[in-house]
Amino acid sequence: MSEYTVREELKPSGLDGISDDQINDHWGLYKGYVTQSNALHKELEEMRAAGKTGTLAYADRRRRFGFEYNGMVLHEYYFAQLKPGTTMDQAPHFKAAVAEQFGSADAWHEDLMSAAKSRAIGWAICYYDGTTGQINNHFIQLHEDGNIGGFVPLVVVDVWEHAYMVDWKALGRPDYLASLHKNINWPVVEARYQAAKSGQIFKRF
């Protein structure tokens, strides 16, 4: 198997209202997911070779694999879409699609933020359904719980406390979300949408 590596090119800096200290702290957690995904991949492979797939230990490692693996993947989507100084007008086709489906771009954003304010740890993710062409927002518990099979992530919002604790402490999620909105890299969102709409797989790095 080829090992995953930490994608340093995705690490944002100089964000508007989100400190580099916050990003550095959060980035350290992402690096841990990469390490654990590689370690679990190797461990599961070794257990299969040893005929241990029916053991409790294998079942435990298998469950953990989904958590670590999707923790890595979602953070790559998340960090890749952070950049200050862009506007939603730079995602014209995405903006038009959400305006049509939600009534306005503001209504779409309000719905995504409502998901992001759920009283739980997790993620708010705007997905594209390639079968119906619909865009909808979902709250994802943990990393692996609640992702919709076959749907394509367009906008990924991390609402675990580690995403904002350095800058805003435990109760600072609303302030974090307000700052996050100012740092969405809308050309990346547009590229994800255009790829998904044309049936292509958008590479996260």
Side-chain angles (χ1 to χ4, degrees), residues 27-203:
W27 190 259
L29 289 168
Y30 157 62
K31 291 168 68 175
Y33 291 123
V34 175
T35 298
Q36 290 300 315
S37 293
N38 285 325
L40 283 165
H41 202 300
K42 182 180 179 182
E43 187 175 353
L44 286 166
E45 192 174 61
E46 290 172 348
M47 293 178 80
R48 285 193 296 271
K52 296 181 178 179
T53 57
T55 65
L56 291 175
Y58 184 86
D60 176 73
R61 298 291 82 192
R62 171 61 70 191
R63 282 191 293 269
R64 190 69 187 180
F65 189 47
F67 177 83
E68 301 288 353
Y69 212 94
N70 222 33
M72 173 183 68
V73 168
L74 289 177
H75 278 97
E76 288 168 351
Y77 275 109
Y78 170 78
F79 286 122
Q81 74 187 21
L82 296 182
K83 181 181 179 180
T86 74
T87 71
M88 200 176 188
D89 288 336
Q90 292 172 271
H93 295 90
F94 173 79
K95 184 177 181 180
V98 295
E100 179 181 356
Q101 293 181 40
F102 287 82
S104 69
D106 286 342
W108 163 78
H109 177 255
E110 183 178 349
D111 186 68
L112 181 63
M113 291 300 99
S114 293
K117 292 172 184 176
S118 299
R119 285 184 55 82
I121 55 171
W123 304 77
I125 300 180
C126 171
Y127 282 109
Y128 178 79
D129 177 1
T131 300
T132 67
Q134 289 186 337
I135 294 173
N136 41 71
N137 300 319
H138 294 265
F139 184 78
I140 308 304
Q141 188 83 26
L142 301 177
H143 304 313
E144 78 283 22
D145 242 1
N147 290 283
I148 313 300
F151 281 28
V152 180
L154 301 177
V155 181
V156 175
V157 180
D158 189 342
V159 289
W160 289 65
E161 285 89 346
H162 61 239
Y164 54 86
M165 282 274 296
V166 172
D167 284 345
W168 291 283
K169 309 304 180 187
L171 299 179
R173 190 184 296 190
D175 293 329
Y176 156 68
L177 292 173
S179 289
L180 188 71
H181 184 61
K182 296 186 294 183
N183 291 283
I184 297 297
N185 189 341
W186 292 108
V188 167
V189 174
E190 177 76 358
R192 290 174 180 172
Y193 173 67
Q194 293 281 29
K197 191 175 180 183
S198 63
Q200 299 174 356
I201 297 175
F202 183 86
K203 295 181 179 179

Side-chain angles (χ1 to χ4, degrees), residues 17-30:
I18 300 175
S19 71
D20 286 349
D21 285 344
Q22 174 64 72
I23 293 298
N24 289 336
D25 191 72
H26 197 172
W27 190 259
L29 289 168
Y30 157 62

